[in-house]
Amino acid sequence: MNNKTMESRVNELLARMTLEEKIGQMTQISGAGEEREELIRQGQVGSFLNVVDVETYNRYQRIAMEESRLGIPLIMGRDVIHGFRTVFPIPLGQSAAWHPELVERAAAIAAREASSLGVNWTFAPMVDVARDPRWGRIAEGGGEDPYLTSQLGRAMVRGFQGEDLSAPDRIAACAKHYVGYGAAEGGRDYNTTLIPEGVLRDVYLPPFKACVEAGAATVMSAFNEINGIPATGNAFTLRQILKGEWSFDGFVVSDWQSVIEMVVHGFCADEKDAARVAVTAGVDMEMVSQSYRQHLAALVAEGKVPLELIDEAVRRILRIKMRLGLFENPYVDPARQSVLLAPEHLEVARQLARESVVLLKNEEGVLPLSGDVRAIAVIGPLADAPADQLGCWVFDGRPEDTITPLRALRERLKGKADVLFAPGLESPRSDSRKGFDEALEAARKADVVLLFVGEDAILSGEAHCRAFLDLPGAQEALIEAVAAEGKPTIAVVMTGRPLTLSRVVDKVHALLIAWHPGTMGGPAIADLLFGDESPSGKLPVTFPRAVGQIPIYYAHKNTGRPPQQIDREIPLGTPLDPIGFFSSYLDVEPTPLFPFGYGLSYTRFQYENLRLSRERIRLGESLVASVDVQNVGPVAAEEIVQLYVRDLVGSVTRPVKELKGFQRVRLEPGERRTIQFTLHTDDLRFHDRDMEFVTEPGQFHLWIGGSSVDGPRASFEIVE
Ligand code: BGC
């Protein structure tokens, strides 16, 4: 069906609808229940969330199609965040893979599995840029960088929706939480955000724009306020930017009760007022709370909400239902469930988990483990924690489908080496040391010690923020005790966020960040430990040394007094002396523990011969930056080649570095390849004081390297 036919179908249908039926389309209800059926029959509900049972789905859909006056199908939402039955790494882990094509395949698999149970809409991707690891929801997004997050979001939208949204195995995506939700003050969920418009437009909005450009069917308005205006009542972000400037033609759904929470915010007097504010701002569908159903009709009758606004909202919702093909194919064949956990799904889960792991330390090449080890101690509360390794926001994955590292290692080493398992702690948050002796005993008997530590899944995700970012419980003490046995010791950290690992790094020989790796985390980690593949993930977010450094992110501004190496030991009685007044802390190094983009490999990559096709270009032109990357180590491996730029002088100060491109490349030992990036002057645009999106002529630096702090540098100039 072409667009024109679809629009006229939408309008024809709209013309036949009563106001109550229109408001019904704008109403979303959570969960199944008997009284629901009557509402569907009466046309008083347009959508459900959390109905994930094919029989109920088909029954509800049949009532909507055959027993409601106009036969409008329901759209059924679910949080399919990082997989469905097959669980992939948490989104932050997926981001660490820097592999959009693979992320797209994973999202397509999630769509195939979810749609087999009647889910036709996911509340994903979350593309909130997050620069505060205390925020529990940092786990759900792409990390600190707008460019990387945009790539991740776009890949997920493409994966969920495919080329043709009406295909039975595709589902509608929802870019969330629009907007600024990740900027919550102090990293405390739902907290206030203060975001200058230039920062909003340069940092927080681009991933949403990328999703809209990729065709995202829906957008979710966030819980937070932005500069005093709640995101769910924000006509500037919703109506002006999203629907106006970007011409978004899908629909906006509120977050869970975020419409009526505007009363709690102190922005609306009561729920009726909240309904008016939300619909006026551009929220087309209300999730869970029922202020639209209760008050919109009266608001229209009183002339407080023009009917055109209601029509516009309904038009958008019907449009997406049509694009989904629901009018033609509303039902789901229960036989389709056989796709759940299909072998190729598990294979992609394994690959993505493998590529998401970041190697942060590998002293004396302790990894990969040699095939000759005879006894391995497997210690730590996350070695065999099938639910925790799935991570946050897992509604449909199951622990019993999960392969833990312990199980994977036992299977792999059967008949070849002993696996001595002693968790040491009952759970990551446990303080009891009664399991330590057994763990030490295992370490003593082993040739090598693997420590699986980190956060349990419940420590990240919505409303699960932390003020301290150390390993919880007695895990550091466990690591210290085990490391004192003097065996080669490898720590694998499963986590939903960056942790402060300064004290851990020094005690172990190797350190891997595995995030919460999902269903196939165990085999993926085993593949890496034994060197079937080299680790290739890179950090999508900065790892601080201390919580007090937060916010700490690579694309910061320079300030007038950038940090310098200073002597942090100030002798007692030192008089105040303005020499050495820099932007830094007295009690911690100015650098992060591990920078954005960082990650080691079992081989080494050398970057040489950075050259630019031109060192002077005009606005509107491009240049090609090339670098020779050589694998100078012993094994084949993949590297993420990263391009960064700095705009030296701006009418508004510019970040010290900004990611502008990356490529994942595989190189054999000794192999050398020229990697090229094309950079257009439009890639350097930012919002100036007048909110014009401009590239300003002047000098630029450009780096290509394996992290945000490595690689050769070149310079170029842009002239008018
Ligand atoms: C979350 C959303 C989620 C929704 C539906 C809310 O609490 O903020 O991200 O999609 O619930 O479950």
Side-chain angles (χ1 to χ4, degrees):
M1 199 186 334
N2 67 26
N3 269 347
K4 221 163 136 206
T5 327
M6 191 178 294
E7 288 308 302
S8 52
R9 261 186 84 187
V10 166
N11 284 325
E12 274 163 35
L13 190 50
L14 192 68
R16 292 165 53 211
M17 293 172 82
T18 64
L19 180 58
E20 277 63 32
E21 284 165 338
K22 289 177 184 173
I23 295 168
Q25 288 303 308
M26 299 166 72
T27 299
Q28 187 187 50
I29 294 179
S30 178
E34 249 175 53
E35 73 293 1
R36 311 287 203 246
E37 303 192 2
E38 195 46 33
L39 291 178
I40 304 171
R41 212 166 274 125
Q42 299 299 325
Q44 291 191 25
V45 55
S47 173
F48 283 86
L49 71 160
N50 301 332
V51 170
V52 196
D53 148 42
V54 91
E55 244 171 63
T56 315
Y57 169 84
N58 280 334
R59 190 171 68 248
Y60 281 12
Q61 209 63 298
R62 190 155 281 122
I63 297 172
M65 296 303 291
E66 294 174 11
E67 299 176 30
S68 78
R69 197 176 71 88
L70 294 171
I72 302 175
L74 299 158
I75 180 168
M76 302 293 216
R78 179 72 158 174
D79 290 280
V80 182
I81 306 298
H82 51 112
F84 190 73
R85 266 294 282 281
T86 303
V87 179
F88 301 101
I90 54 168
L92 190 61
Q94 295 189 34
S95 188
W98 300 56
H99 196 167
E101 298 77 15
L102 190 58
V103 167
E104 183 178 334
R105 282 173 67 194
I109 288 168
R112 188 178 308 144
E113 292 195 351
S115 60
S116 77
L117 280 141
V119 173
N120 47 39
W121 178 22
T122 174
F123 305 122
M126 185 190 101
V127 287
D128 293 308
V129 169
R131 295 176 164 182
D132 193 325
R134 291 172 292 184
W135 191 49
R137 304 198 81 168
I138 197 169
E140 294 175 56
E144 75 181 43
D145 186 66
Y147 181 87
L148 184 57
T149 303
S150 298
Q151 300 292 325
L152 186 84
R154 196 179 288 138
M156 286 190 181
V157 170
R158 280 200 298 251
F160 291 133
Q161 298 194 165
E163 293 287 318
D164 174 10
L165 192 49
S166 71
D169 58 352
R170 300 295 183 160
I171 63 180
C174 181
K176 72 184 188 186
H177 306 82
Y178 190 78
V179 55
Y181 186 41
E185 281 186 352
R188 209 180 75 225
D189 207 6
Y190 316 122
N191 204 9
T192 306
T193 75
L194 288 164
I195 311 174
E197 188 177 337
V199 177
L200 188 70
R201 288 185 180 274
D202 288 341
V203 176
Y204 293 97
L205 285 169
F208 287 94
K209 185 152 189 255
C211 290
V212 168
E213 284 169 358
T218 70
V219 168
M220 185 186 293
S221 71
F223 286 127
N224 56 289
E225 64 157 75
I226 311 152
N227 308 329
I229 316 288
T232 294
N234 204 312
F236 169 59
T237 54
L238 290 169
R239 209 168 274 292
Q240 183 179 319
I241 297 179
L242 176 68
K243 294 182 173 179
E245 293 174 24
W246 302 349
S247 308
F248 170 66
D249 74 352
F251 71 87
V252 174
V253 64
S254 76
D255 203 345
W256 186 285
Q257 299 197 344
S258 67
V259 174
I260 61 168
E261 285 176 12
M262 289 198 287
V263 178
V264 189
H265 274 282
F267 190 69
C268 297
D270 51 30
E271 293 187 5
K272 185 172 177 185
D273 192 28
R276 180 187 60 78
V277 167
V279 82
T280 309
V283 175
D284 304 306
M285 183 185 282
E286 180 179 18
M287 182 189 284
V288 177
S289 53
Q290 299 288 301
S291 70
Y292 281 13
R293 212 154 70 80
Q294 281 157 7
H295 303 293
L296 277 186
L299 286 162
V300 172
E302 291 159 20
K304 292 188 180 136
V305 169
L307 189 60
E308 297 80 73
L309 278 189
I310 308 282
D311 285 350
E312 186 222 296
V314 177
R315 207 176 274 123
R316 287 170 178 275
I317 294 165
L318 294 177
R319 187 181 289 144
I320 296 304
K321 290 185 174 181
M322 282 189 193
R323 281 191 194 148
L324 274 165
L326 290 173
F327 285 86
E328 291 73 30
N329 297 303
Y331 307 117
V332 169
D333 177 359
R336 280 196 42 219
Q337 281 170 59
S338 61
V339 301
L340 300 174
L341 300 169
E344 67 269 25
H345 299 186
L346 296 175
E347 199 37 58
V348 172
R350 183 173 183 157
Q351 188 186 346
L352 190 46
R354 206 160 49 212
E355 293 187 9
S356 74
V357 173
V358 186
L359 178 67
L360 293 179
K361 178 179 180 181
N362 191 15
E363 207 172 76
E364 292 154 23
V366 60
L367 287 176
L369 299 176
S370 106
D372 309 333
V373 284
R374 289 287 155 262
I376 293 189
V378 174
I379 296 174
L382 289 168
D384 194 32
D388 286 318
Q389 85 177 46
L390 295 180
C392 61
W393 282 109
V394 170
F395 286 159
D396 302 287
R398 299 188 184 165
E400 61 269 28
D401 302 330
T402 304
I403 307 183
T404 65
L406 178 68
R407 187 172 138 199
L409 289 163
R410 279 190 173 143
E411 278 166 18
R412 183 177 184 118
L413 296 174
K414 202 161 175 193
K416 295 184 203 140
D418 292 335
V419 174
L420 312 166
F421 175 52
L425 289 163
E426 260 170 30
S427 81
R429 279 176 287 154
S430 166
D431 280 315
S432 162
R433 303 187 182 199
K434 62 177 193 288
F436 276 30
D437 284 346
E438 203 192 337
L440 297 182
E441 179 68 24
R444 251 170 253 137
K445 288 191 193 142
D447 310 319
V448 58
V449 178
L450 300 177
L451 275 160
F452 291 89
V453 292
E455 291 184 322
D456 35 339
I458 197 69
L459 291 189
S460 53
E462 185 176 352
H464 289 77
C465 303
R466 297 181 64 200
F468 298 95
L469 296 180
D470 314 317
L471 286 173
Q475 294 186 88
E476 279 189 17
L478 177 66
I479 294 171
E480 184 164 20
V482 169
E485 294 297 327
K487 298 292 171 69
T489 304
I490 293 130
V492 180
V493 181
M494 292 190 188
T495 176
R497 57 160 66 77
L499 298 173
T500 47
L501 296 170
S502 305
R503 285 188 300 272
V504 174
V505 184
D506 293 342
K507 292 186 188 101
V508 297
H509 300 97
L511 177 65
L512 292 148
I513 302 297
W515 316 103
H516 289 128
T519 309
M520 295 299 281
I525 291 167
D527 292 345
L528 297 174
L529 292 173
F530 286 93
D532 299 352
E533 286 288 337
S534 170
S536 58
K538 302 272 185 173
L539 295 180
V541 59
T542 303
F543 272 48
R545 294 173 190 275
V547 172
Q549 290 180 303
I550 298 168
I552 179 168
Y553 49 93
Y554 84 94
H556 59 82
K557 300 294 187 71
N558 205 35
T559 81
R561 295 187 177 188
Q564 310 254 330
Q565 280 310 323
I566 52 168
D567 188 359
R568 267 162 240 287
E569 292 301 316
I570 306 175
L572 285 178
T574 306
L576 194 62
D577 173 1
I579 294 171
F581 278 26
F582 301 113
S583 180
S584 57
Y585 297 101
L586 289 176
D587 44 7
V588 64
E589 294 279 318
T591 53
L593 186 62
F594 296 106
F596 177 85
Y598 184 77
L600 302 168
S601 158
Y602 293 157
T603 193
R604 275 171 297 112
F605 295 99
Q606 212 167 63
Y607 287 74
E608 272 175 351
N609 200 14
L610 173 61
R611 60 225 182 252
L612 306 181
S613 59
R614 303 160 67 188
E615 281 167 10
R616 237 170 151 229
I617 51 173
R618 287 186 186 288
L619 284 174
E621 294 181 342
S622 302
L623 61 75
V624 177
S626 318
V627 74
D628 299 336
V629 184
Q630 188 174 6
N631 179 344
V632 293
V635 295
E638 298 193 2
E639 165 74 329
I640 315 294
V641 181
Q642 303 161 39
L643 169 75
Y644 294 89
V645 167
R646 177 172 183 184
D647 181 351
L648 295 192
V649 180
S651 62
V652 172
T653 59
R654 312 289 306 122
V656 296
K657 265 188 188 178
E658 287 180 287
L659 181 69
K660 292 293 175 187
F662 62 84
Q663 293 176 40
R664 183 178 259 274
V665 296
R666 185 177 186 86
L667 294 179
E668 298 299 317
E671 188 181 346
R672 180 190 184 90
R673 200 175 313 155
T674 301
I675 307 298
Q676 294 192 332
F677 291 91
T678 302
L679 191 69
H680 189 274
T681 57
D682 280 355
D683 300 330
L684 303 166
R685 283 184 291 182
F686 68 98
H687 289 86
D688 70 8
R689 257 179 276 191
D690 305 318
M691 293 306 122
E692 296 290 332
F693 196 35
V694 294
T695 304
E696 293 180 343
Q699 295 289 337
F700 292 78
H701 285 165
L702 180 154
W703 297 257
I704 301 180
S707 86
S708 62
V709 297
D710 295 311
R713 188 185 90 185
S715 303
F716 65 95
E717 187 185 6
I718 296 182
V719 293
E720 285 207 55

